[in-house]
Amino acid sequence: MNIPFTLPALGPIMPEMLLVCMAIILVAVDLLFPRKKELLSQLVVLTTIGLIVMLFKQTPAVTFGTMFIVDPYAIFFKIICLFGLLMTTLLSGQYLKIEKINQGEYYSLMLFSVVGMMTMISAGDLIVVYLGLELMALSIYCLVGLLKNDWRANEASLKYFLMGAFSSALLLFGISLLYGMTGTTDLAGIAQYCLEADILTNPALLTGFALVLSGFCFKVGAAPFHFWTPDIYHGAPTTITSFMSVAPKAAGFAVLGRFLIMAFPESQDQWGPIIAIIALLSMAVGNIIAISQQNVKRMLAYSSIAHAGYALLGLLTGTSDGYSATMSYLYIYAFMNMGAFAVVILLCTKGHRRESLTDYKGLAKSNPGAALLMLIFLFSLTGIPPTAGFIGKFYLLKAALAAGYTWTVILAVIFSAISAYFYLRLIRYMYMEEAPQQFVTHYSPGIIAALAISAIGVIGIGIFPGTLLNWAARSLIVF
Amino acid sequence: MISQLIFLYCALVIISTALLAVRFHNPVYSVLSVLVLFFHIAGLYLLLNAEFLAAIQIIVYAGGILILYLFVLFLVNLRQEIKSQRFVAHHRLSTVISIILGLSLLAIIPYFKLGAKGNYPVARIEQLTHTKAIGMEIYSTFILPFELAGLILLIAVIGGLVLARNDKTDPADDVSDSAAPTISEVQE
């Protein structure tokens, strides 16, 4: 019997395929030229820039049935992920030498995880969402455990793996319920069937929805699914922490947004309040617990929980304004968080990681440049004008207010004010305390580039927000 | 009627062996109860006319993965479960929450309604045979998930290598094979 088979159009999936090829080539390059570690990072930087250009030129398309969707929404998030990869690669060269991470597979694992993210961002089918998520998560589990002689890294890797497996189980259970109730895993198909069969308020369907939502909230690190974040951010190599706080988070939000608006567009009034509660919990937990942290990486971990809460403010509205606010916020967050981590990495030297808050005492005297940059990034994370963080938060709050979530917005502003305490405390340490010891920082070209890009991004978007906001507004899923 | 009885038997055994696997203190017993669990899942697949999946379930899970588990257990010589402190402080609270969640999962069962039927009703599968149907679907409709699953396996290989490789920390490139001890040296 002849089986009719036509190859699906491969054009839309070309960036992902190129990235897979590059990841495999990197393993081979590492094998053939073991002494030239710089070659690997240079190749990654070139590939990433090439792919970003390629993505800008991509035209919307759907391929593999409806499993793989390339729309401006997907392209926007893919560029955030690639940007995260680019910045992490720039930061990695110096850090890998200091921590003596010799594995060349470091870069290819990062590339593979970005392939996973890009796939899940484009996924129009829950099976592809799940597989992309696993592809992303598995690579990151390995990357977190790269510092094999550090017990914190081992603990982090194991914890992440166990909790990740648990959250995947929740997600899969939810997907199986949705599939059983609707007979399809296609996102648009689910929405259509729910309308036709009128099962939108069926408790079994809602349970499936809640389980899937929990799985995604785990991936973006929103409370009450945040417990993994501090230990893992603390234990992982700092470059990987910065990568994790930007790229997988953006991918998680992209999938969550697509899932909500494509599969359950009709029940916004039901999931809106649930997400509002999750957002408020995240802001409360993140901002309040961050106050008691003594380690910069842990503090930034809690701050990333809080920022996940802010970003959810846009999604819960279900409106195009809200979505574009979340999208631009994630982009801005990528700039400012990468910048803050770049300074943390800059201060890290052989034998002394300088991750404690007290290590920042008197930094303004010994390293005025690093202190000034950290000041800008912390101001932006707090949301003080004229930095980009202010613009991002402003539009998020405005969108949530317009959708009628007044109390959510009021509480969000209060939590945001609380966050100023621990961000500004670090600034006080840097500018108003005496340094216990002096040290010289080493600026490698990669770190200079990363710092410059983030600083220009944070200030540039803060002063000229129009370009980014317009781009985000144009990149929405067609409602 | 008979098929319902078989289903009930399989389901009961699956649930009880799953509970036993978690409760046993000796890990070898746990693995063996999971083995029984896998055979009964294969039985469920057979009930659904999915003979290919049943065979795969036994070959891959029971024959491959579980044997690996057993090898690991024998290598680390773990007679008793290692006792460690609980990760979470509020153990009582989490028990209450899990019981509530479990009960609410049971409570939704009556509301469950089967969704739309797919392209493969039983008659069509019987005519095509299950193996052929699954092969056609995997290599046409589900080619993208199939390839992604392949990539995930590649990650598992690379990740396993990265994590298991013995790092020579200081200048790694300077360590050549000649530095490895010869057999006679090891025997001494």
Side-chain angles (χ1 to χ4, degrees):
Chain A
M1 188 179 106
N2 242 344
I3 300 160
F5 176 66
T6 46
L7 196 68
L10 292 180
I13 203 174
M14 206 41 105
E16 284 79 2
M17 286 166 66
L18 284 177
L19 211 51
V20 170
C21 294
M22 203 57 215
I24 294 168
I25 289 173
L26 283 180
V27 176
V29 169
D30 182 48
L31 196 69
L32 296 176
F33 309 99
R35 277 155 201 279
K36 293 189 178 165
K37 298 288 179 201
E38 315 82 50
L39 191 64
L40 296 175
S41 55
Q42 286 158 1
L43 277 175
V44 176
V45 169
L46 284 180
T47 319
T48 323
I49 294 174
L51 281 179
I52 290 178
V53 173
M54 193 172 163
L55 280 173
F56 267 118
K57 291 187 177 166
Q58 244 188 347
T59 46
V62 176
T63 180
F64 292 102
T66 52
M67 284 188 182
F68 196 86
I69 305 171
V70 177
D71 48 11
Y73 177 81
I75 293 174
F76 187 93
F77 277 105
K78 282 180 188 178
I79 289 174
I80 300 185
C81 291
L82 283 172
F83 174 75
L85 175 66
L86 176 71
M87 297 290 276
T88 315
T89 312
L90 288 177
L91 293 175
S92 291
Q94 184 174 337
Y95 185 79
L96 293 188
K97 262 184 216 149
I98 290 171
E99 292 285 355
K100 288 184 186 153
I101 298 176
N102 288 319
Q103 287 97 336
E105 290 86 358
Y106 172 86
Y107 292 109
S108 51
L109 280 174
M110 278 210 295
L111 255 59
F112 275 123
S113 83
V114 174
V115 173
M117 291 168 210
M118 289 167 71
T119 320
M120 65 194 253
I121 289 170
S122 271
D125 190 293
L126 285 172
I127 297 176
V128 182
V129 168
Y130 174 70
L131 287 170
L133 203 120
E134 284 299 301
L135 185 56
M136 166 189 104
L138 271 177
S139 326
I140 295 180
Y141 300 149
C142 301
L143 286 169
V144 170
L146 270 185
L147 293 169
K148 273 175 260 177
N149 297 323
D150 184 350
W151 65 270
R152 274 196 184 285
N154 294 338
E155 185 199 343
S157 183
L158 195 63
K159 257 190 191 168
Y160 196 21
F161 178 68
L162 291 175
M163 299 219 187
F166 188 68
S167 80
S168 294
L170 286 184
L171 183 70
L172 273 183
F173 193 21
I175 292 177
S176 73
L177 276 177
L178 292 184
Y179 176 63
M181 296 285 292
T182 62
T184 176
T185 49
D186 181 57
L187 289 177
I190 290 176
Q192 202 186 347
Y193 185 85
C194 286
L195 264 190
E196 279 168 12
D198 193 26
I199 49 169
L200 270 176
T201 50
N202 185 309
L205 187 85
L206 291 180
T207 311
F209 172 79
L211 286 167
V212 173
L213 187 66
S214 318
F216 288 143
C217 282
F218 177 90
K219 292 295 168 196
V220 299
F225 308 98
H226 64 281
F227 286 100
W228 58 280
T229 323
D231 283 342
I232 287 146
Y233 276 34
H234 187 183
T238 314
T239 43
I240 298 304
T241 310
S242 64
F243 181 63
M244 279 198 313
S245 68
V246 169
K249 206 162 249 207
F253 273 108
V255 178
L256 182 56
R258 196 189 280 280
F259 174 73
L260 292 176
I261 215 68
M262 273 180 79
F264 290 93
E266 306 298 326
S267 33
Q268 192 274 329
D269 49 341
Q270 286 175 16
W271 50 256
I274 299 176
I275 294 181
I277 292 170
I278 295 175
L280 283 176
L281 256 181
S282 311
M283 286 180 240
V285 167
N287 285 330
I288 293 172
I289 304 186
I291 291 175
S292 63
Q293 300 308 314
Q294 292 304 320
N295 179 292
V296 179
K297 274 162 87 179
R298 278 188 103 79
M299 191 190 91
L300 286 173
Y302 280 105
S303 115
S304 89
I305 298 174
H307 284 277
Y310 298 131
L312 282 174
L313 283 181
L315 290 191
L316 65 88
T317 63
T319 59
S320 50
D321 276 351
Y323 266 62
S324 66
T326 296
M327 287 158 77
S328 19
Y329 191 70
L330 286 169
Y331 206 80
I332 291 167
Y333 179 69
F335 276 109
M336 55 197 189
N337 216 40
M338 274 294 174
F341 273 110
V343 178
V344 176
I345 291 168
L346 175 70
L347 298 189
C348 172
T349 49
K350 246 177 206 147
H352 196 333
R353 288 194 182 142
R354 293 207 171 78
E355 285 168 3
S356 159
L357 286 186
T358 47
D359 287 327
Y360 285 75
K361 278 185 180 166
L363 192 69
K365 284 216 182 75
S366 55
N367 298 286
L372 179 68
L373 286 168
M374 194 63 166
L375 175 94
I376 295 172
F377 299 134
L378 289 174
F379 270 174
S380 181
L381 284 166
T382 325
I384 295 174
T387 53
F390 168 73
I391 303 289
K393 254 182 210 166
F394 176 74
Y395 281 95
L396 278 174
L397 296 176
K398 197 178 133 207
L401 201 60
Y405 291 87
T406 320
W407 277 103
T408 314
V409 171
I410 293 173
L411 287 169
V413 173
I414 292 174
F415 288 130
S416 185
I418 293 175
S419 78
Y421 173 76
F422 61 86
Y423 290 128
L424 298 184
R425 178 178 56 181
L426 193 56
I427 295 175
R428 197 196 76 204
Y429 276 160
M430 290 193 302
Y431 279 88
M432 296 175 194
E433 302 251 349
E434 284 304 313
Q437 86 263 33
Q438 301 274 329
F439 58 92
V440 186
T441 44
H442 173 65
Y443 289 86
S444 76
I447 287 202
I448 294 175
L451 283 171
I453 294 173
S454 350
I456 292 171
V458 166
I459 295 177
I461 298 174
I463 297 173
F464 307 105
T467 333
L468 177 68
L469 293 173
N470 286 339
W471 181 31
R474 267 188 285 117
S475 304
L476 285 175
I477 321 175
V478 184
F479 286 105
Chain B
M1 184 60 198
I2 283 188
S3 66
Q4 270 175 338
L5 277 180
I6 298 176
F7 173 80
L8 271 180
Y9 161 72
C10 284
L12 277 178
V13 174
I14 286 173
I15 292 175
S16 43
T17 45
L19 285 175
L20 282 177
V22 182
R23 296 304 301 183
F24 272 133
H25 286 297
N26 187 332
V28 180
Y29 290 168
S30 295
V31 172
L32 290 179
S33 67
V34 174
L35 182 69
V36 178
L37 188 154
F38 284 162
F39 274 111
H40 285 83
I41 290 183
L44 282 189
Y45 287 143
L46 278 183
L47 268 184
L48 296 169
N49 280 327
E51 73 277 356
F52 181 74
L53 275 186
I56 289 293
Q57 171 76 24
I58 288 174
I59 294 171
V60 174
Y61 281 85
I65 293 176
L66 265 189
I67 299 300
L68 275 181
Y69 280 4
L70 278 177
F71 268 128
V72 171
L73 281 182
F74 293 149
L75 281 177
V76 296
N77 189 20
L78 197 67
R79 284 288 168 76
Q80 276 288 316
E81 190 181 23
I82 299 169
K83 291 264 194 301
S84 63
Q85 286 182 330
R86 291 190 187 281
F87 281 168
V88 282
H90 308 290
H91 175 233
R92 290 277 164 76
L93 184 68
S94 51
T95 316
V96 172
I97 294 178
S98 7
I99 289 175
I100 293 174
L101 285 179
L103 286 179
S104 50
L105 279 182
L106 287 178
I108 59 153
I109 293 178
Y111 297 100
F112 189 83
K113 273 190 295 184
L114 209 54
K117 292 267 190 306
N119 299 329
Y120 288 89
V122 177
R124 177 125 188 256
I125 289 187
E126 272 171 358
Q127 178 217 338
L128 266 178
T129 72
H130 175 253
T131 313
K132 196 170 200 170
I134 210 170
M136 273 165 53
E137 279 298 298
I138 274 195
Y139 290 104
S140 58
T141 321
F142 292 96
I143 185 78
L144 178 66
F146 180 72
E147 296 291 336
L148 280 174
L151 264 187
I152 290 178
L153 289 181
L154 180 63
I155 301 282
V157 173
I158 295 179
L161 280 177
V162 169
L163 290 183
R165 190 166 52 195
N166 197 5
D167 284 353
K168 311 277 189 290
T169 24
D170 264 306
D173 306 339
D174 297 339
V175 180
S176 63
D177 286 337
S178 60
T182 58
I183 295 171
S184 58
E185 277 168 350
V186 174
Q187 279 169 345
E188 283 161 18

